[in-house]
Amino acid sequence: MIGLTPSVRDLYLPAELGDPRLAPPSEAELVDLVNDRLCICEGNSSPETCTTEARIVHARYRPSVASAATYAVRDIHGLEHFVTYKAHLGDRAENRVVGGRYAEKVSAACAPLRPYALLPERMASLWVFPADPELRGAVRVLDTERTAAWIEGLGAVSPWTVRPHGTMVSLKRYEHSRRAIYRVRIGLDGDPGESYGREFGLRILPGECAAQSAIWRSQLAGQPLPIPRLVGHDPINGWILEEWMAGTSADSHDYSVMDHAMVSAASLHGAPIASGSHAGTKRRLAPMDLLNGIPGIQRVPDWLWRPLEVPANGWIHGDLHPDRVLLRGEGAALLGVDGLRPGAPEEDIASWAADALAQGGAGEVDEVIEELVGLYREAGGGEVERERLRALIAIELMERAASAIRDLQADALLRAARLVSMVTSVRTPGH
């Protein structure tokens, strides 16, 4: 499942919300589209049947703007490909030549499918990974000799040298236009002729996101923190190379790892911010644009319609959920630090609290807050500003309501309405 939590999707939701042209095709329709538009014909002009099944693994929807849905498609040889269907309202879809000087490698990686097809009658297009309009560096990872040489040039495998043809890469996670994560294993030769191996995580992000992530993470270099160590950054490819941390990832709904999460978060929050780093305030605003028409939206507190100022005076994970916790013996680490940045500790605590509340229901706000704050203090965390925490929990609940719609989750409208109704139970003194 390329690292994504399996989820049932409602592909008809855009049509229900008045955007029928943004409704992704069903899995059966996607198979037909792939066979008709992407299969490479051999020896004749008739389309071949080269795919047999598809299952949706990811979806993103922006009302009245665009949608994208990624499917795991199995070909007649039993191999899996990840095909993204993108639709836009307007004329943004256009014919493209993908891959550039890596076009041959893109074609080889996508075979027996073409990397890209325009569907003008649908104002849509099909993309086959590693072809991706934003992740230009995804296909270059497949040039394993160059990838290994780059890693060796960083000094990441010193004092050993790379063993020719000893590098293997495997895709661990993919979100169209947002990120791809590879596990890279490099074979090494030592002075005595012994064989060694090193493993790294290679994250491919859009260029500006990768550059900002590298800047923040480099400021934490050398500090003993429970996050993967940054090894290197390639601004051209949008590559972030990090150490590969062994362990067992928690399940996305496993809140029993809360104590590990708070210990790791407290350690990260306590890291000093380098002189000259931005340490001012940032603004958070609930995503109301996706929630128009949701029952109960008119009853949410007035302050949620205005930005909330939040201090940015400490390091935070920025996307703290149970499946970010990596269990390692008696300790733990935090993965997925693309959102690492200066912020307020209450932001990470609120993210975890909102997840727990969204799973457990209303009426547990005080209990969840007290348990989290207690664990955080036991872990050595600093003071928690309760009013700010409650406000951020309310915003996080609104974000999960919006995500239900944006991700085309099954029963999205009911889920969004339930989460919006929970906001009124998060009492925020002073608002």
Side-chain angles (χ1 to χ4, degrees):
M1 295 296 290
I2 52 174
L4 298 174
T5 303
S7 179
V8 179
R9 311 285 175 169
D10 180 0
L11 301 181
Y12 300 100
L13 181 60
E16 187 176 348
L17 295 177
D19 285 332
R21 301 196 69 169
L22 294 182
S26 69
E27 293 170 343
E29 290 173 327
L30 193 279
V31 169
D32 290 340
L33 282 172
V34 169
N35 284 331
D36 184 45
R37 302 300 183 89
L38 291 179
C39 283
I40 299 173
C41 303
E42 299 289 350
N44 59 65
S45 58
S46 300
E48 293 189 351
T49 299
C50 58
T51 60
T52 58
E53 63 179 80
R55 69 179 189 280
I56 188 166
V57 295
H58 190 248
R60 302 282 290 185
Y61 166 56
R62 294 176 60 195
S64 303
V65 179
S67 66
T70 299
Y71 304 75
V73 173
R74 190 169 300 279
D75 68 24
I76 56 175
H77 306 294
L79 300 177
E80 219 170 40
H81 305 265
F82 299 105
V83 178
T84 299
Y85 174 94
K86 296 188 69 173
H88 290 89
L89 292 183
D91 57 0
R92 288 187 57 187
E94 58 186 19
N95 273 312
R96 296 189 183 219
V97 176
V98 300
R101 64 190 179 97
Y102 287 89
E104 187 174 335
K105 284 191 176 293
V106 173
S107 296
C110 296
L113 306 180
R114 295 184 180 87
Y116 171 82
L118 180 66
L119 310 177
E121 74 283 3
R122 290 172 170 257
M123 293 190 295
S125 55
L126 294 170
W127 296 82
V128 183
F129 186 80
D132 188 294
E134 301 296 332
L135 305 180
R136 305 297 176 83
V139 68
R140 300 180 187 184
V141 178
L142 303 181
D143 190 341
T144 54
E145 290 188 30
R146 285 180 178 269
T147 300
W150 173 69
I151 293 175
E152 184 177 33
L154 294 172
V157 297
S158 179
W160 299 284
T161 57
V162 171
R163 180 158 23 98
H165 312 297
T167 299
M168 296 182 293
V169 300
S170 56
L171 181 67
K172 308 304 292 184
R173 186 181 182 95
Y174 173 56
E175 296 175 56
H176 183 79
S177 294
R178 301 183 70 199
R179 65 177 58 84
I181 303 171
Y182 285 92
R183 184 175 185 173
V184 182
R185 187 183 189 281
I186 297 182
L188 304 172
D189 290 326
D191 290 336
E194 299 178 54
S195 293
Y196 298 84
R198 289 283 302 277
E199 291 186 326
F200 300 92
L202 184 56
R203 311 180 74 85
I204 297 95
L205 307 174
E208 291 185 6
C209 296
Q212 184 60 77
S213 178
I215 290 172
W216 291 139
R217 294 181 66 174
S218 65
Q219 294 186 24
L220 294 173
Q223 298 191 45
L225 296 171
I227 59 174
R229 177 178 60 88
L230 176 69
V231 178
H233 167 228
D234 182 333
I236 295 176
N237 290 319
W239 289 356
I240 297 287
L241 187 72
E242 62 187 19
E243 66 174 321
W244 184 265
M245 303 184 80
T248 302
S249 296
D251 182 82
S252 60
H253 302 310
D254 185 3
Y255 297 97
S256 69
V257 297
M258 183 161 47
D259 54 343
H260 289 295
M262 291 302 103
V263 168
S264 299
S267 176
L268 177 60
H269 297 165
I273 290 185
S275 174
S277 296
H278 172 73
T281 60
K282 64 186 294 291
R283 293 176 182 269
R284 291 284 300 270
L285 183 66
M288 300 296 190
D289 56 321
L290 279 164
L291 299 173
N292 290 330
I294 295 298
I297 191 67
Q298 68 279 5
R299 294 193 298 274
V300 301
D302 290 342
W303 67 266
L304 275 168
W305 298 87
R306 302 186 297 272
L308 174 73
E309 290 194 357
V310 181
N313 50 17
W315 292 105
I316 66 170
H317 181 278
D319 192 29
L320 190 61
H321 308 290
D323 60 0
R324 300 293 190 264
V325 178
L326 181 73
L327 302 175
R328 313 182 74 210
E330 296 183 357
L334 299 178
L335 302 180
V337 292
D338 295 337
L340 178 80
R341 58 175 172 79
E346 291 86 1
E347 293 182 84
D348 278 345
I349 300 173
S351 177
W352 190 281
D355 273 355
L357 291 168
Q359 291 298 319
E364 303 174 0
V365 177
D366 292 333
E367 179 183 342
V368 169
I369 288 176
E370 290 308 315
E371 185 175 10
L372 278 171
V373 171
L375 287 171
Y376 185 72
R377 286 177 173 171
E378 289 176 12
E383 287 299 314
V384 176
E385 213 290 313
R386 302 288 184 113
E387 183 176 335
R388 181 183 302 131
L389 176 59
R390 288 179 176 277
L392 287 167
I393 290 174
I395 291 175
E396 290 283 350
L397 288 171
M398 297 293 283
E399 289 184 347
R400 279 150 186 75
S403 293
I405 297 171
R406 184 181 60 238
D407 300 344
L408 302 184
Q409 296 176 15
D411 298 322
L413 299 180
L414 290 175
R415 178 175 173 80
R418 181 176 69 85
L419 292 170
V420 167
S421 70
M422 289 175 61
V423 171
T424 58
S425 70
V426 184
R427 297 179 299 277
T428 53
H431 289 288

